[in-house]
Amino acid sequence: MTTRRPRAAPASASGRRHRFLRAVGNSWPLRRWGPSVLPRLDRRLHRWTGGRWMPSRLLIPVLILHTTRRDGTPCRTPLLAGRTEAGTFIVMATNFGRPRHPAWSFHLLRDPHAAVDWHGDLLPVRARLLGHEEQRAMEEQLLGWMPCFHDYARDSRRDIRVFSLTPS
């Protein structure tokens, strides 16, 4: 006579999603090809669908950040974004765990006035770099939006810039 072991309780859907997004975010193909392929694909399909759809939105909430380069030319960057209850957008300058900060974060530091395209609506925003204490206070939310946040910070060997984008 064999005794059956009790089964472990099934993982919650959010726990499975978190593990899946962390695995995808840390996968070799995404780390290698994501920075060059995903933004182009997202921008192109976002334009073709009139702001209604981007491939990255299948997994995560994404917005298009409109900034200007130092020479004044426009820059449109698809970014993973969280949204707080107050309506503020939170964006993380992880750059797929690469050692350098992404260009768009320098644009926001130089000129905090920008715009975001959120599901087809273009909203003017004002950016503010969050301090270390503010980031720690939001850690649970950051990991909810981007489960591989700490992995990217460790691999990049730099402090990840986190910006709050407040609609103005």
Side-chain angles (χ1 to χ4, degrees):
M1 182 166 156
T2 60
T3 59
R4 287 190 162 179
R5 287 178 142 174
R7 280 190 197 178
S12 70
S14 64
R16 283 191 301 263
R17 181 181 182 280
H18 182 86
R19 283 191 305 277
F20 174 74
L21 289 176
R22 188 170 180 196
V24 168
N26 284 314
S27 69
W28 178 83
L30 184 74
R31 291 274 189 109
R32 172 67 180 96
W33 299 105
S36 58
V37 173
L38 279 179
R40 288 180 192 164
L41 188 61
D42 280 342
R43 274 191 301 267
R44 184 162 290 141
L45 288 168
H46 184 264
R47 187 175 57 242
W48 287 348
T49 63
R52 292 183 304 274
W53 192 75
M54 286 186 281
S56 294
R57 281 193 188 147
L58 293 172
L59 295 175
I60 54 176
V62 178
L63 58 75
I64 301 284
L65 178 67
H66 295 258
T67 57
T68 54
R69 294 181 180 93
R70 208 174 3 206
D71 63 3
T73 59
C75 180
R76 292 180 29 229
T77 311
L79 300 173
L80 177 146
R83 193 152 192 203
T84 65
E85 291 177 6
T88 300
F89 297 97
I90 304 295
V91 292
M92 297 149 270
T94 60
N95 203 17
F96 292 87
R98 293 169 150 186
R100 298 186 65 200
H101 292 289
W104 64 264
S105 70
F106 290 104
H107 300 234
L108 288 180
L109 290 173
R110 184 181 41 77
D111 181 9
H113 296 26
V116 296
D117 191 323
W118 181 252
H119 298 288
D121 294 329
L122 193 62
L123 307 168
V125 294
R126 182 167 176 83
R128 185 176 65 81
L129 180 64
L130 298 183
H132 293 293
E133 293 302 318
E134 290 173 296
Q135 283 188 30
R136 270 194 219 98
M138 293 190 73
E139 187 168 342
E140 191 173 317
Q141 286 180 302
L142 293 175
L143 290 172
W145 296 317
M146 178 179 264
C148 52
F149 180 81
H150 288 308
D151 302 326
Y152 284 0
R154 178 195 66 227
D155 295 347
S156 69
R157 294 187 181 109
R158 62 179 168 84
D159 289 332
I160 301 291
R161 294 174 178 163
V162 178
F163 290 90
S164 132
L165 304 175
T166 306
S168 49

